[in-house]
């Protein structure tokens, strides 16, 4: 793994965590919260895993590949759920998640 | 701080994390999710902080008092919100949170 | 996944986190810290991942299998490293890690 | 709290986590690991707390002030320890920690 790729991955993970947490926060403030329940749940999963992986990468963890494999699955699931909703925060979250899923797959 | 108190605190934190996460999960499955939005948000805050503090205590962190002070505030806020709702998961969560807030205050 | 298995897994993860963090703390206090450097690094990885997975299981995460797969690898690596050292904290940690690796593999 | 301040704080926390984790990793590879044991322990505390606070800020946690108060104490302790060591990773870590301690105090 080159340092360059990790720099990019760290940025992608950070954007994904930020988008997921913003979406989590915004979904809880929507009129129809019930419709967003899967989104809220997956936003938490995805933000937390991206956050965890960022920490692991910067400490030079020997398990980046294993963690990235799990993270890719979570990002993909979150991106696919968010994609279904028209809210701007969901659309932006979907984009960040699907980009992050691809980046994670490359190191997995 | 005696080891005995930490053993008790660890158990209390663990029960609180479990109750908050169960409440988070159950709230997202309720008919009226909107009414539970503050609860969902606080359950995440509280579960994550209790989980963090458990890790910190077991690694003999020098910052248990500072972290417990923050945890006490979070537990209290979550307990007070959950207390308002009649769902069994909320009532049990409120009880676990308020017990944990007291335990955290003692080491803060 | 039965609820019973999760109860057992949660306990096993908790024991493993506790043993790893105790080993991390004790290794940093050993006379020959240099010899323990791989152990210190892996103890952190393993404690943090077990802690993360505990949180995920109690919130009924849909990704327990993926996270447990990563956790199993980390527990195994930590257990195999700790096994090499005669310190009681290392031997106890090795035992907890290898038990946890098996438990994680069953849900992965 | 203005959004601008949070953007700056997030960046400062991220730099601090990165510097602490790099220092943790580098300390474990030094010739005299024993001399770095306090540094290794505090690097973990500080990286983990900065990482936790980043997540909390981006999810719009109502407890940023409480968490930042704890984080400021941890950053300060880590910065003061790292400052004692001449290694470049320690000096850079000290700088990042003390900057982050100030930033956290402003929101605490």
């Amino acid at each position: 793994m080159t340092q360059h790729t990790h720099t990019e991955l760290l940025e992608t993970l950070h954007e994904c965590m930020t988008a997921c947490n913003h979406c989590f926060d915004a979904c809880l403030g929507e009129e129809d919260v019930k419709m967003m329940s899967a989104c809220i749940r997956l936003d938490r999963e995805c933000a937390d895993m991206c956050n965890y992986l960022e920490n692991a990468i910067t400490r030079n963890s020997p398990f980046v590949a294993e963690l990235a494999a799990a993270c890719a699955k979570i990002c993909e699931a979150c991106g696919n759920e968010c994609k279904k909703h028209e809210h701007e925060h969901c659309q932006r979250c979907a984009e960040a998640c699907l980009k992050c899923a691809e980046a994670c797959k490359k190191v997995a």
Side-chain angles (χ1 to χ4, degrees), chain A residues 44-100:
Chain A
R44 181 184 180 187
E45 295 293 328
C46 196
D48 287 359
M49 190 61 197
C50 289
N51 185 244
Y52 189 90
L53 184 49
E54 273 195 88
N55 193 335
I57 289 171
T58 60
R59 72 181 175 247
N60 198 18
S61 164
F63 306 105
V64 169
E66 286 83 357
L67 295 167
C71 195
K73 288 273 181 68
I74 297 170
C75 287
E76 202 163 38
C78 189
N80 287 335
E81 175 60 31
C82 281
K83 213 165 52 176
K84 297 178 196 165
H85 305 283
E86 283 182 10
H87 305 301
E88 200 202 334
H89 54 81
C90 289
Q91 289 296 315
R92 267 191 293 158
C93 187
E95 200 184 334
C97 288
L98 297 175
K99 183 182 165 188
C100 197

